[in-house]
């Protein structure tokens, strides 16, 4: 069942998602060679709780972290660990969720650790751009297939590959609600977008191949080829007669990164 939100509920969703953006910015402040992914997770949990919310991921289906932190060829759902130490040249997808006043926020950003290769930088830029290409299709009366098709075409035309097994999703009082929002598909197919729907659009884009495998930890998804993957996510609300309302924000991250985009 798809739950349509009132204007008041969308504002509560916005507050939860803005807190996600601020949390990701706090993580951005300390991402550097030599830090563990567990240290990033600890900072995020402290910040979320200090602002009257709870981490939406912590304990979700048994997940042990407040963040999903996925490094290099890990696509999503990486488990924070004291043993996983970031090094120069890594890329790190940080996916964060909050629960605030009964509603959920969810957003993700892929960061560069120090200097990364031009090939990897191009992957990051294309994946981030494809997110906004998809958001442009998130208009009342269109369908989820329009979003997925736009993302797929944008990335594949540039030589990248779209993960099929993982999708975006509806969101509200629960972290994952209907409908699924694939990053691939055919135009004019899938669920019709209606005013009041809140969805997460999150391209997961690989170099080399679309194929992925799950690690033995039962969570981490990585590329089968062991080549890099990037992941960006926004939460948006479908509005009557206009473009999507982006409830999450990368602006706080941009303030931290300054001249660096990633």
């Amino acid at each position: 069942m798809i739950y349509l939100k009132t204007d008041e509920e969308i504002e509560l969703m916005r507050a939860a998602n803005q807190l996600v953006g601020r949390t990701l910015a706090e993580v951005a402040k300390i991402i550097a060679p030599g830090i563990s992914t567990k240290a990033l997770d600890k900072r995020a949990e402290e910040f979320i709780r200090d602002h009257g919310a709870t981490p939406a991921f912590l304990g979700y289906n048994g997940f042990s972290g407040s963040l999903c932190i996925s490094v290099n060829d890990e696509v999503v759902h990486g488990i924070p660990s004291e043993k996983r130490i970031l090094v120069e040249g890594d890329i790190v997808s940080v996916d964060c969720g909050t629960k605030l006043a009964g509603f959920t926020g969810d957003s993700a950003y892929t960061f560069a650790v120090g200097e990364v290769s031009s090939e990897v930088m191009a992957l990051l830029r294309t994946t981030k751009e494809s997110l906004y290409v998809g958001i442009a299709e998130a208009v009342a009366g269109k369908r989820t297939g329009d979003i997925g098709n736009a993302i797929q075409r944008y990335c594949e035309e540039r030589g990248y590959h779209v993960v099929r097994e993982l999708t975006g999703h509806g969101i509200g009082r629960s972290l994952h609600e209907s409908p699924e929002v694939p990053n691939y598909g055919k135009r004019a197919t899938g669920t019709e977008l209606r005013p009041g729907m809140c969805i997460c659009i999150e391209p997961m884009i690989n170099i080399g191949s679309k194929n992925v495998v799950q690690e033995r930890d039962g969570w981490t998804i990585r590329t089968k080829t062991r080549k890099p993957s990037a992941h960006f996510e926004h939460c948006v609300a479908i509005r009557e007669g206009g473009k999507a309302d982006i409830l999450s924000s990368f602006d706080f991250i941009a303030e931290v990164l300054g001249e660096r985009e990633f």
Side-chain angles (χ1 to χ4, degrees):
M1 181 179 292
I2 295 173
Y3 296 96
L4 303 181
K5 282 74 177 175
T6 65
D7 288 345
E8 291 77 12
E9 288 173 330
I10 288 172
E11 292 311 308
L12 292 172
M13 293 280 295
R14 192 188 311 279
N17 277 283
Q18 291 291 304
L19 179 56
V20 172
R22 293 168 63 196
T23 304
L24 289 172
E26 288 299 306
V27 172
K29 291 177 182 178
I30 61 173
I31 284 182
I35 196 166
S36 73
T37 57
K38 185 64 176 178
L40 302 180
D41 187 74
K42 181 180 179 182
R43 177 63 189 127
E45 180 177 0
E46 290 173 347
F47 188 83
I48 291 166
R49 294 190 186 280
D50 285 348
H51 288 81
T54 56
F57 296 173
L58 185 61
Y60 184 82
N61 290 336
F63 190 74
S64 61
S66 296
L67 301 174
C68 293
I69 306 180
S70 309
V71 183
N72 296 333
D73 63 332
E74 296 170 354
V75 182
V76 287
H77 302 163
I79 302 172
S81 170
E82 295 283 5
K83 296 180 180 179
R84 191 64 185 266
I85 306 298
L86 300 182
V87 300
E88 182 86 12
D90 281 343
I91 58 171
V92 189
S93 163
V94 182
D95 194 350
C96 178
T98 63
K99 195 82 168 182
L100 179 67
F103 287 88
T104 315
D106 187 9
S107 181
Y109 201 91
T110 302
F111 297 94
V113 182
E115 298 300 320
V116 301
S117 70
S118 58
E119 178 188 36
V120 170
M121 185 62 72
L123 170 69
L124 296 179
R125 188 164 290 117
T126 296
T127 306
K128 185 180 179 185
E129 289 168 354
S130 78
L131 170 61
Y132 292 99
V133 168
I135 290 172
E137 297 294 318
V139 177
K142 291 199 173 189
R143 294 181 177 271
T144 54
D146 294 306
I147 297 172
N149 180 267
I151 292 170
Q152 180 181 7
R153 289 179 53 141
Y154 191 84
C155 293
E156 289 183 351
E157 286 172 358
R158 289 157 177 79
Y160 301 105
H161 303 269
V162 179
V163 173
R164 301 300 201 270
E165 290 84 352
L166 302 151
T167 71
H169 53 90
I171 187 170
R173 291 187 180 274
S174 298
L175 176 60
H176 291 114
E177 297 182 355
S178 294
E180 290 190 346
V181 186
N183 299 303
Y184 63 95
K186 296 181 180 180
R187 289 191 175 278
T189 65
T191 302
E192 183 178 354
L193 302 175
R194 299 168 58 194
M197 288 175 63
C198 292
I199 58 175
C200 289
I201 301 173
E202 49 178 320
M204 290 157 271
I205 308 300
N206 301 345
I207 292 176
S209 167
K210 68 179 184 296
N211 297 321
V212 298
V213 296
Q214 187 173 56
E215 298 283 37
R216 291 182 179 179
D217 62 23
W219 283 101
T220 307
I221 304 294
R222 66 167 177 82
T223 60
K224 191 171 184 179
T225 61
R226 297 262 184 194
K227 291 185 177 180
S229 182
H231 174 216
F232 291 85
E233 176 182 14
H234 268 318
C235 178
V236 308
I238 309 301
R239 293 295 200 173
E240 185 75 53
K243 63 183 181 179
D245 184 359
I246 303 176
L247 305 180
S248 47
S249 177
F250 294 157
D251 291 347
F252 305 107
I253 296 170
E255 290 174 6
V256 173
L257 296 181
E259 294 182 0
R260 292 178 61 100
E261 184 176 1
F262 305 105

